[in-house]
Amino acid sequence: MYDVTALGELLIDFTDAGMSPSGQKLFERNPGGAPANVLVALQRLGHSTAFVGKVGCDMHGVFLRQTLEENDVDCSGLVSDPDHFTTLAFVALDPTGERTFSFARKPGADTQLRPEELNRDVLQNTRVLHVGSLSLTDEPARSATLEALHIARDAGATLSYDPNYRASLWPAAEVAAQQMRSVVGMMDLVKISAEETGLLTDESDPIEAARKILAQGPKIVVVTLDADGAMVVTAEGARMVPSFRVDATDTTGAGDSFWGGFLCAMLDSGMNVRDLTLDDAASFARFGNAVASLCVQGRGAIPAMPPRGAVEDVLTNNA
């Protein structure tokens, strides 16, 4: 039994790495993809994980599989595709560490996962299945995602969702909103950013957006508010959980590390998601904030994911 399985994109982040001696911009190859980032965070925090998705039979696909395996993520559900290239994302950073993205994904291997390629044994033996919305942008991965959600839910798994909107990967914002909303009613846990509130609900206010999502079935909604922290909303009410103030080097993977920490704390509690209180959810978010505070001080999402001891030190020093 795995603690968390994630399905979705596994890709290369070519991250801004300064200038060459000749004055040309340099990019450093880093493993990435939000679902994979969440899993590595969880592995570093002591939980067993598995990945379901697709990469190309190319140097980048080999590197990504090797990276996950080196981080003890089970890759029995990772398919290597001889016909499609591994997706690439070029990530530029501004002076504050914020990112802009440019993707090579026309199509990328991650969009080509077919329902019949799903590893059902993995999906039927996981406590949590986590997905994003980038696997909903194109067929056949969209159908594979929906099938995986049904398989895991029928086996009793908790379903977790982080839309992780990337405008350039959708034909239009209206299409993105339609697809991103299509799975909300299946979920137990939803994490969105402040920028995604309108896409998911037509509400700009984080609390009102979260309440609209709760009305569709999820038990906990978390709205991340960048450096300010996270707003946690349940049927009991809403609570702001402040972040830990740090000097950010690179915010790539910050939301993923936060959610890995949140899921870690939830799993540690041993509680059923239906029994969780607002106090519980706020405590999980605080743990997630501690994980994120360490991640943003590194470079590259997966390499920067912190071990559990470092997270506990942050919590102890900020008690």
Side-chain angles (χ1 to χ4, degrees):
M1 177 70 73
Y2 301 99
D3 290 331
V4 181
T5 295
L7 179 150
E9 70 276 12
L10 179 61
L11 49 80
I12 299 294
D13 283 333
F14 280 109
T15 308
D16 192 334
M19 306 296 289
S20 73
S22 61
Q24 299 300 312
K25 184 174 289 294
L26 296 174
F27 289 90
E28 177 183 69
R29 183 177 75 165
N30 283 295
N37 293 341
V38 170
L39 294 185
V40 173
L42 281 156
Q43 282 289 158
R44 300 264 175 94
L45 296 167
H47 285 279
S48 60
T49 65
F51 184 81
V52 175
K54 182 176 276 193
V55 292
C57 290
D58 49 61
M59 68 172 69
H60 300 306
V62 170
F63 167 68
L64 289 168
R65 181 184 292 273
Q66 180 181 7
T67 298
L68 290 189
E69 290 176 343
E70 288 175 349
N71 283 279
D72 298 320
V73 177
D74 183 277
C75 290
S76 58
L78 177 59
V79 179
S80 294
D81 188 336
D83 299 321
H84 298 92
F85 204 74
T86 300
T87 296
L88 309 178
F90 291 84
V91 187
L93 300 175
D94 69 17
T96 69
E98 287 301 320
R99 306 153 296 159
T100 56
F101 293 86
S102 181
F103 289 90
R105 191 188 189 227
K106 297 182 179 181
D110 68 292
T111 69
Q112 301 304 302
L113 181 68
R114 301 191 302 272
E116 61 268 25
E117 294 175 311
L118 293 170
N119 188 320
R120 290 174 176 264
D121 287 340
V122 171
L123 294 168
Q124 290 171 337
N125 288 281
T126 187
R127 295 171 65 187
V128 177
L129 175 63
H130 174 69
V131 302
S133 72
L134 297 194
S135 60
L136 300 174
T137 60
D138 298 273
E139 291 288 3
R142 181 183 302 148
S143 293
T145 302
L146 296 174
E147 178 70 9
L149 289 168
H150 285 292
I151 293 169
R153 184 178 63 179
D154 289 346
T158 296
L159 301 186
S160 163
Y161 182 42
D162 175 6
N164 195 35
Y165 178 59
R166 296 287 179 262
S168 62
L169 295 181
W170 295 92
E174 295 77 14
V175 176
Q178 178 185 18
Q179 293 300 329
M180 289 163 66
R181 296 179 188 195
S182 68
V183 297
V184 168
M186 299 179 68
M187 299 300 166
D188 300 295
L189 306 168
V190 176
K191 181 190 85 68
I192 61 174
S193 69
E195 293 75 23
E196 291 162 348
T197 54
L199 283 166
L200 269 290
T201 68
D202 295 324
E203 294 281 354
S204 60
D205 179 77
I207 296 177
E208 291 305 313
R211 286 173 175 160
K212 280 198 170 183
I213 293 171
L214 285 176
Q216 298 175 59
K219 304 301 183 291
I220 299 174
V221 178
V222 181
V223 185
T224 55
L225 300 171
D226 298 325
D228 290 331
M231 180 68 68
V232 178
V233 186
T234 72
E236 291 180 71
R239 184 173 304 167
M240 185 67 195
V241 183
S243 65
F244 297 92
R245 298 294 179 175
V246 296
D247 292 326
T249 300
D250 182 351
T251 59
T252 303
D256 306 328
S257 60
F258 166 82
W259 199 238
F262 186 99
L263 293 177
C264 170
M266 185 194 74
L267 289 162
D268 289 347
S269 77
M271 297 177 67
N272 187 295
V273 67
R274 294 170 182 80
D275 299 326
L276 295 172
T277 67
L278 181 59
D279 285 344
D280 294 325
S283 174
F284 304 161
R286 185 170 186 273
F287 190 92
N289 281 341
V291 178
S293 73
L294 292 167
C295 179
V296 299
Q297 296 177 72
R299 285 193 64 86
I302 286 179
M305 294 297 175
R308 190 175 192 111
V311 179
E312 298 289 357
D313 287 344
V314 170
L315 294 169
T316 299
N317 294 332
N318 291 274

